[in-house]
Amino acid sequence: MFLYDYLVKLRRYLSWQTKKIQMLEQRLLLLENQLKELEQQPRTTIERIEYKFDQLKVETLEGTLNIGITPNGVGNVIEDFAVQQEKTVVPKPEPVLFRNIQEKVHAYLGKEAKETIKRFEKQYAHHLDDTYRHFILQDIARQVDERIRFYLHQKMNNGYVPKSDNDETVVNEIFQKVKMDIEQSIDLFLKHLPKQGGE
């Protein structure tokens, strides 16, 4: 009887091993096919890159790394960054117009944005303390000026000529765009924030 039980267990074990080997062979075959497909895809080869720093002239170097607030339409497509032969001249925005938009955005950050954060906290079941909320708003505030400049330049490149130092229509239009960017960045940040308690 003992020998019979042993042979039954051995047969089950061999059957399990056979199935496991077949499954592993199928996975190996799938991986080999994927590898062949990858090998058949065209590759980009960069022969040689020469830098001629003596021909490079930089008058000003400025900007911000925008992690949270990005404009609609500025994508992750590398073709968007292609160098163009003809130079586009971007007119300088009116300083008063810029300051008026900036003041309106900072007033929003000082008051309504806190409620926006709380609204998204409730939506995504997070609870942040005031220090964390303040940190988020400070990070956004550092990126606001670039967003305003972006939208002003975009407007001017589309033929806009300021009617006065305080064109209320443009101030409100750009304020709404920056506000929408801020709300989208808060939404995305809180949506991808890990749940508390390791959920």
Side-chain angles (χ1 to χ4, degrees), residues 89-107:
V89 177
V90 179
K92 291 267 187 204
E94 288 292 318
V96 176
L97 197 59
F98 176 83
R99 277 196 307 276
N100 289 339
I101 299 167
Q102 186 184 45
E103 285 172 12
K104 198 164 184 169
V105 171
H106 282 286

Side-chain angles (χ1 to χ4, degrees), residues 2-175:
F2 173 75
L3 184 60
Y4 177 76
D5 287 341
Y6 174 75
L7 290 174
V8 167
K9 286 181 182 178
L10 183 63
R11 183 168 186 241
R12 284 185 195 147
Y13 181 72
L14 287 172
S15 174
W16 175 83
Q17 263 190 338
T18 305
K19 288 178 186 175
K20 187 77 171 171
I21 289 170
Q22 288 172 347
M23 185 187 72
L24 290 171
E25 285 176 341
Q26 287 175 349
R27 287 183 66 190
L28 180 63
L29 185 63
L30 180 68
L31 288 171
E32 285 175 346
N33 289 337
Q34 288 176 346
L35 182 63
K36 284 179 187 174
E37 286 177 20
L38 287 173
E39 287 175 347
Q40 291 174 356
Q41 289 180 353
R43 294 184 182 174
T44 303
T45 306
I46 299 173
E47 297 282 329
R48 185 176 177 187
I49 299 175
E50 290 183 23
Y51 295 101
K52 297 183 180 178
F53 290 107
D54 57 326
Q55 297 175 358
L56 182 65
K57 181 182 177 187
V58 178
E59 290 180 16
T60 60
L61 184 61
E62 57 184 46
T64 304
L65 176 61
N66 292 323
I67 295 171
I69 305 176
T70 55
N72 294 338
V74 174
N76 301 320
V77 184
I78 222 160
E79 287 79 16
D80 290 347
F81 302 109
V83 177
Q84 296 180 4
Q85 293 297 331
E86 91 185 39
K87 187 177 179 182
T88 306
V89 177
V90 179
K92 291 267 187 204
E94 288 292 318
V96 176
L97 197 59
F98 176 83
R99 277 196 307 276
N100 289 339
I101 299 167
Q102 186 184 45
E103 285 172 12
K104 198 164 184 169
V105 171
H106 282 286
Y108 165 77
L109 286 173
K111 295 176 185 167
E112 293 176 55
K114 291 175 186 173
E115 295 306 313
T116 302
I117 291 175
K118 288 178 183 176
R119 187 178 79 229
F120 285 120
E121 282 180 56
K122 190 180 281 187
Q123 181 178 338
Y124 297 116
H126 288 296
H127 178 72
L128 306 176
D129 59 14
D130 285 335
T131 308
Y132 203 171
R133 287 185 200 110
H134 183 69
F135 169 75
I136 292 170
L137 292 174
Q138 271 186 324
D139 189 47
I140 289 171
R142 282 193 293 269
Q143 301 175 47
V144 163
D145 289 356
E146 272 310 305
R147 301 301 318 124
I148 295 169
R149 282 189 194 96
F150 171 80
Y151 287 121
L152 272 172
H153 288 178
Q154 188 180 57
K155 190 100 177 135
M156 290 181 172
N157 282 338
N158 289 333
Y160 168 75
V161 177
K163 296 172 189 163
S164 68
D165 283 345
N166 189 14
D167 189 342
E168 203 57 41
T169 308
V170 173
V171 170
N172 287 329
E173 178 188 332
I174 293 176
F175 166 71

